């Protein structure tokens, strides 16, 4: 997950990493939109709203996680040194746990104000995971040998 600098030409790994993350993000949002529309038609607004809340929270968290991961890799590449690497890893993990706490607090605040369907929320949370699996399986077919 390397970021491209100004004037530098991208190599194959940089292009594929960036494209995979973009595909997962776009695929997850398209899947979320389809699930919300289908959930509204089949189950009603509370279910669709719960899907939307779960999907937006997990997609936002995924977007922030990939930004933090890119920052971590960039800083480790620039600085080096075992002590600095350990401190950057610690900062990354603390940010990740902080993000989980914020998502939990947002869920608590939302659930105290509006009714949330638990199944819809969980399905909304699963949109990024389903996107990763779909993108991973489609990429695996392209990269696997034709005859094994």
């Amino acid at each position: 997950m390397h970021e491209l600098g100004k004037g530098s030409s991208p190599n194959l790994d940089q292009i594929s990493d960036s494209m995979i993350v973009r595909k997962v993000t776009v695929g997850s949002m398209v899947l979320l939109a389809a699930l919300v529309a289908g959930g509204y038609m089949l189950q009603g607004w509370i279910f669709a709203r719960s899907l939307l809340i779960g999907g937006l929270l997990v997609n936002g968290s995924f977007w922030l996680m990939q930004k933090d991961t890119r920052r971590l890799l960039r800083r480790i590449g620039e600085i080096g040194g075992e002590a600095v690497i350990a401190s950057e890893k610690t900062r990354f993990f603390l940010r990740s746990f902080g993000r989980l706490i914020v998502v939990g607090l947002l869920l608590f605040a939302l659930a105290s104000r509006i009714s949330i369907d638990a199944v819809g929320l969980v399905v909304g949370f699963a949109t990024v995971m389903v996107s990763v699996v779909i993108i991973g399986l489609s990429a695996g077919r392209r990269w696997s040998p034709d005859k094994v």
Side-chain angles (χ1 to χ4, degrees), residues 63-90:
W63 181 74
L64 290 171
M65 179 70 80
Q66 66 94 16
K67 274 184 59 176
D68 288 344
T69 303
R70 288 177 190 222
R71 184 180 318 140
L72 171 70
L73 293 175
R74 186 181 68 241
R75 286 183 179 168
I76 287 175
E78 289 173 353
I79 300 170
E82 292 298 320
V84 174
I85 290 174
S87 69
E88 290 297 330
K89 285 180 184 178
T90 302

Side-chain angles (χ1 to χ4, degrees), residues 15 25 30 85 98 123 129 136:
I15 291 171
T25 305
V30 168
I85 290 174
V123 172
M129 181 189 66

Side-chain angles (χ1 to χ4, degrees), residues 9-141:
S9 61
N11 64 27
L12 186 59
D13 290 337
Q14 291 170 330
I15 291 171
S16 64
D17 286 350
S18 177
M19 286 178 57
I20 288 172
V21 170
R22 188 172 297 128
K23 282 182 182 181
V24 168
T25 305
V26 170
S28 180
M29 293 305 284
V30 168
L31 178 63
L32 178 62
L35 287 173
V36 167
Y40 179 72
M41 287 184 204
L42 296 174
Q43 295 291 321
W45 173 240
I46 293 175
F47 184 79
R49 180 178 58 199
S50 300
L51 268 165
L52 185 62
I53 289 169
L56 290 176
L57 286 174
V58 78
N59 279 295
S61 182
F62 179 75
W63 181 74
L64 290 171
M65 179 70 80
Q66 66 94 16
K67 274 184 59 176
D68 288 344
T69 303
R70 288 177 190 222
R71 184 180 318 140
L72 171 70
L73 293 175
R74 186 181 68 241
R75 286 183 179 168
I76 287 175
E78 289 173 353
I79 300 170
E82 292 298 320
V84 174
I85 290 174
S87 69
E88 290 297 330
K89 285 180 184 178
T90 302
R91 181 180 297 156
F92 175 78
F93 288 124
L94 289 175
R95 289 175 76 100
S96 297
F97 288 127
R99 188 173 20 263
L100 285 175
I101 290 169
V102 168
V103 167
L105 291 173
L106 283 171
L107 271 176
F108 178 75
L110 284 170
S112 66
R113 288 179 172 49
I114 61 174
S115 61
I116 293 181
D117 184 77
V119 174
L121 189 67
V122 170
V123 172
F125 278 148
T127 56
V128 169
M129 181 189 66
V130 170
S131 271
V132 167
V133 168
I134 290 170
I135 300 299
L137 290 176
S138 68
R141 274 190 240 128

